[in-house]
Amino acid sequence: MSTESIFQTHLVLGNVAWLLCFGAYIVPWLTSMDSVKAHRAIATLHSFRFFGLVFLLPGLVGPNLPASFATFAAYGDLAAGLLAMLALITIRIRQLFWPFVVAFNLVGMGDLILDYYHAIQAGLPARAGELGAAYAIPIIYVPLLMITHVFAFYLLLRPQPRAAQALTGETAVS
């Protein structure tokens, strides 16, 4: 089996496994809590996106990892992670919390979509071995990040019951 086929199989199966897990365990858990707590949990996961800087570490990734992919992925992840941390820091100041929730989800999802684009443009699937130890990031971590971004937007856009809005001080954006 070629490197490209293995990488693509891993990507598909990583998404399938996380979708099964997410549907069975995480969706019921997140929907059982109020919107602020659910977004706080999602932001906590995304606050670890500083880890994407490993794409820039010589020795951890191969010397031929395309810079067009690595640099954008590293700094896009860092930006999303810092915005998620700002959301967590401002949880008690709802006028700041909600804009940071929207920002880290927009930046984070945009980063992942552009990372997929850059990876394809750079021929990364055929050179997946250049990811070195960071190979696990697109296979295990990225599918969960993308799924939680999609779910976060679902939570942000779904109508909130008036009673819940009154209790949490949320607006229609939440």
Side-chain angles (χ1 to χ4, degrees):
M1 191 178 248
S2 72
T3 301
E4 186 171 7
S5 295
I6 292 170
F7 185 72
Q8 290 170 342
T9 301
H10 280 157
L11 281 177
V12 170
L13 294 177
N15 278 283
V16 170
W18 274 119
L19 283 168
L20 293 169
C21 179
F22 198 79
Y25 301 104
I26 301 171
V27 168
W29 177 63
L30 289 174
T31 55
S32 73
M33 52 180 84
D34 69 58
S35 189
V36 171
K37 288 180 182 175
H39 284 287
R40 184 182 200 181
I42 293 168
T44 300
L45 170 69
H46 286 266
S47 69
F48 287 91
R49 287 184 68 171
F50 61 86
F51 187 67
L53 287 172
V54 301
F55 290 125
L56 302 178
L57 283 176
L60 188 71
V61 296
N64 297 318
L65 183 66
S68 61
F69 165 79
T71 304
F72 191 89
Y75 290 114
D77 274 349
L78 179 62
L82 291 174
L83 288 167
M85 288 179 191
L86 287 170
L88 293 170
I89 290 168
T90 61
I91 190 123
R92 297 192 192 283
I93 308 166
R94 300 295 159 80
Q95 297 86 351
L96 293 175
F97 173 73
W98 290 114
F100 282 127
V101 165
V102 171
F104 94 75
N105 279 290
L106 286 173
V107 169
M109 184 177 242
D111 169 58
L112 295 177
I113 291 168
L114 288 170
D115 289 345
Y116 282 125
Y117 172 79
H118 288 137
I120 292 166
Q121 292 299 311
L124 185 64
R127 301 183 328 187
E130 291 296 324
L131 288 166
Y135 184 88
I137 293 172
I139 303 307
I140 297 172
Y141 193 38
V142 168
L144 179 60
L145 295 175
M146 184 60 87
I147 292 165
T148 55
H149 279 311
V150 170
F151 193 74
F153 284 119
Y154 163 76
L155 290 175
L156 285 166
L157 297 173
R158 75 176 179 176
Q160 295 293 309
R162 292 215 183 270
Q165 287 179 15
L167 289 174
T168 63
E170 297 175 30
T171 62
V173 170
S174 63

